[in-house]
Amino acid sequence: MRNFGCRITEDIKIHDMNSLVMENEKLRITFLLDKGADIVELLYKPKDIDFMWRSPVEFHNPAKCNSTTGSSLHNYLDHNFGGWQEILPSGGPECNYKGAVIGMHGEVSNLPWQYRIIKDTKEEISVMFLVRTVRSPFYLEKTITIKSNESTIYFDETLSNLANEDMELMWGHHPTIGEGFLDESCYIDTSAKKVFTYGEGLDFDTQRLEVNSEHDWPMAKGRDGKSIDLSKVPDKNAGTADMLFLKDFGDKAYYSIYSNNKNVGFRLKWDNEIFPYAWIWLVCKGSYGYPWYGNTYNLAIEPWTSYPGAGLTKAIDNGTALKMKAKEKIDFKMQVDIYEKGL
């Protein structure tokens, strides 16, 4: 096993969960294989900054921790450690589709994933992560690649509809940035032209924008009538919580979050033919009551096929659900860059 250049560490456990680490000279990425292949660490070594948010829920093995209710929402949040989840085939609360009850945020973030090492050299490593859903007929392959002396992560995914009938779905990536990086000096840049909100309980009491409103990014009219620059991340004690949606990305979909204090940024670029929307979940200690009780400071900007986060049936109703023909396959590419200005 190499201890230099690009390298993979297998056969490790975190709180008795099978895990895997990919790293090079600049990055270390830790995956919880037994829990959705969640990315729970994205460490930028030159500055010792882990971009991933850690929720107040302590690490534990979900298989050894019984939830106290049958609610899919509570079951999901009982085991939400933060980090980066992939979500499919539904985003949001429980719904019924073609006779299957699909729980909170679908299936793949709650299932154990398999993996296969595709390439393992000191110059480049690639690992394919694989999962088949249980209640719905999907098979997902996600290949992640990093290269020597680069702070870039390459995602190549293939989603297969195994059914002998057409299917509808929601598919998204949920990378949540936390206090190891996030602060009031951060600002958001994006190719999105529009930002909007949604009603039906998807807003917070402390949300800064009116529900069912649309604005030109980044300036928006707040609930108090004052203009808000949404590109500026508030202080962690601002007492606000926002659920927003981005659209109209043009030819290239991207966003970046850059910290002036730390002089480093997180940039995500993706194929917006498949994922034409992004959700923004920004909490500045303003989400009260269950589950976080006003304790969290986090920002997730999430590429999605659909909106809102109200379950697959809502996305079908508004025409944004992704449609796949029987036995169809869809390819998707995405790229993360950790960068410093001037380098």
Side-chain angles (χ1 to χ4, degrees), residues 42 44 47 49-53 83-84 151 173-191 217 230-234 246 249 253-270 278-284 297-303 335-341:
L42 174 48
Y44 181 56
K47 288 184 175 285
I49 291 175
D50 182 3
F51 284 81
M52 294 292 90
W53 172 62
W84 184 329
S151 53
H173 278 267
H174 184 40
T176 309
I177 305 299
E179 282 193 69
F181 165 74
L182 196 65
D183 63 29
E184 71 281 359
S185 79
C186 288
Y187 63 91
I188 302 165
D189 181 39
T190 178
S191 59
W217 176 269
L230 295 172
S231 69
K232 296 180 179 179
V233 175
L246 296 173
F249 285 92
Y254 72 84
Y255 72 82
S256 64
I257 308 166
Y258 200 86
S259 169
N260 282 320
N261 285 343
K262 298 180 175 68
N263 191 32
V264 66
F266 174 98
R267 180 170 52 228
L268 186 59
K269 300 184 286 188
W270 70 92
W279 305 359
I280 299 179
W281 177 48
L282 172 58
V283 180
C284 305
Y297 185 45
N298 56 267
L299 169 60
I301 305 180
E302 316 165 26
Q335 178 178 316
V336 171
D337 299 297
I338 308 300
Y339 66 101
E340 298 180 49
K341 289 185 176 180

Side-chain angles (χ1 to χ4, degrees), residues 15-232:
H15 288 267
D16 205 32
M17 289 178 283
N18 291 316
S19 305
L20 181 142
V21 175
M22 300 177 68
E23 62 184 309
N24 62 11
E25 299 88 346
K26 294 187 175 182
L27 298 177
R28 183 169 70 231
I29 314 160
T30 300
F31 302 84
L32 291 183
L33 298 171
D34 283 348
K35 201 280 178 186
D38 287 2
I39 297 174
V40 293
E41 179 189 39
L42 174 48
L43 181 73
Y44 181 56
K45 294 180 180 181
K47 288 184 175 285
D48 192 32
I49 291 175
D50 182 3
F51 284 81
M52 294 292 90
W53 172 62
R54 294 282 180 88
S55 86
V57 177
E58 295 184 0
F59 279 108
H60 61 269
N61 187 338
K64 296 183 177 181
C65 179
N66 292 326
S67 294
T68 56
T69 71
S71 160
S72 69
L73 167 66
H74 294 85
N75 291 346
Y76 179 85
L77 292 171
D78 284 350
H79 313 304
N80 182 356
F81 314 125
W84 184 329
Q85 293 80 38
E86 187 153 4
I87 299 175
L88 184 148
S90 179
E94 182 177 299
C95 65
N96 190 305
Y97 177 67
K98 293 195 174 186
V101 177
I102 308 297
M104 176 70 184
H105 279 344
E107 296 193 68
V108 300
S109 61
N110 298 300
L111 293 172
W113 290 48
Q114 305 301 312
Y115 74 94
R116 183 183 308 143
I117 295 175
I118 304 300
K119 189 171 186 177
D120 186 6
T121 69
K122 68 179 187 297
E123 294 81 19
E124 181 177 327
I125 53 176
S126 295
V127 177
M128 179 184 287
F129 300 87
L130 316 99
V131 66
R132 177 171 177 168
T133 53
V134 176
R135 294 188 180 183
S136 49
F138 298 109
Y139 179 70
L140 181 60
E141 297 177 341
K142 173 170 58 183
T143 300
I144 294 181
T145 300
I146 59 174
K147 301 176 183 180
S148 180
N149 281 308
E150 287 190 6
S151 53
T152 296
I153 309 168
Y154 303 91
F155 292 71
D156 291 275
E157 302 194 61
T158 299
L159 176 64
S160 300
N161 175 13
L162 303 178
N164 198 30
E165 60 180 297
D166 295 352
M167 297 292 295
E168 295 161 299
L169 67 142
M170 299 175 74
W171 182 11
H173 278 267
H174 184 40
T176 309
I177 305 299
E179 282 193 69
F181 165 74
L182 196 65
D183 63 29
E184 71 281 359
S185 79
C186 288
Y187 63 91
I188 302 165
D189 181 39
T190 178
S191 59
K193 302 297 188 296
K194 297 287 185 179
V195 58
F196 63 101
T197 62
Y198 200 86
E200 299 186 24
L202 292 178
D203 60 313
F204 294 93
D205 291 340
T206 56
Q207 184 153 302
R208 292 176 292 166
L209 304 187
E210 291 286 356
V211 297
N212 298 312
S213 64
E214 183 173 309
H215 313 264
D216 294 328
W217 176 269
M219 303 307 296
K221 183 179 179 181
R223 280 179 165 171
D224 59 3
K226 296 180 180 178
S227 182
I228 299 173
D229 185 349
L230 295 172
S231 69
K232 296 180 179 179

